[in-house]
Amino acid sequence: MKKLRPLHDRVIIKRLDQETKSASGLVIPETAAEKPDQGEVLAIGPGKKDEKGASIALDVKVGDRVLFGKYSGQSVKIDGNELLVMREEDIMAVLVS
């Protein structure tokens, strides 16, 4: 995959696959499944600039598993992979194991 360098406070996220079985064991067809709202951070930008021009570092880092809103971010396709580009503020939480 090509190297991506997001600008400002943007992050590149790859959606994580959603399970195709329900809790009761029923198989959910791909056409009926919702897009997952979890992903892995692939790249981060340098951060926003404050009014003095200093960079404000992001709270997420490459490799973090994150939760985001269902309609967050802009979907892009690079080298056949569907990725999301979104601002850090659109990320709701980092999953901690």
Side-chain angles (χ1 to χ4, degrees):
M1 183 160 63
K2 295 178 183 176
K3 281 241 180 210
L4 296 173
R5 186 179 55 92
L7 301 176
H8 307 292
D9 64 335
R10 289 182 176 82
V11 295
I12 307 292
I13 295 177
K14 179 180 179 185
R15 286 185 192 269
L16 296 176
D17 293 332
Q18 187 175 8
E19 296 207 15
T20 57
K21 282 189 178 183
S22 69
S24 61
L26 296 174
V27 176
I28 302 169
E30 193 171 312
T31 54
E34 292 185 19
K35 289 187 174 183
D37 53 1
Q38 289 186 39
E40 180 182 354
V41 177
L42 298 180
I44 62 172
K48 259 188 180 175
K49 303 261 185 203
D50 65 12
E51 58 275 350
K52 295 179 183 175
S55 206
I56 302 170
L58 301 180
D59 288 329
V60 297
K61 61 185 181 300
V62 174
D64 280 349
R65 291 181 65 157
V66 295
L67 297 176
F68 49 86
K70 190 177 291 195
Y71 302 107
S72 297
Q74 176 67 43
S75 183
V76 295
K77 204 166 206 169
I78 297 179
D79 293 340
N81 297 312
E82 186 176 330
L83 303 174
L84 287 171
V85 179
M86 67 177 67
R87 292 190 179 275
E88 183 189 34
E89 65 191 29
D90 292 334
I91 296 172
M92 296 186 287
V94 175
L95 296 171
V96 180
S97 39

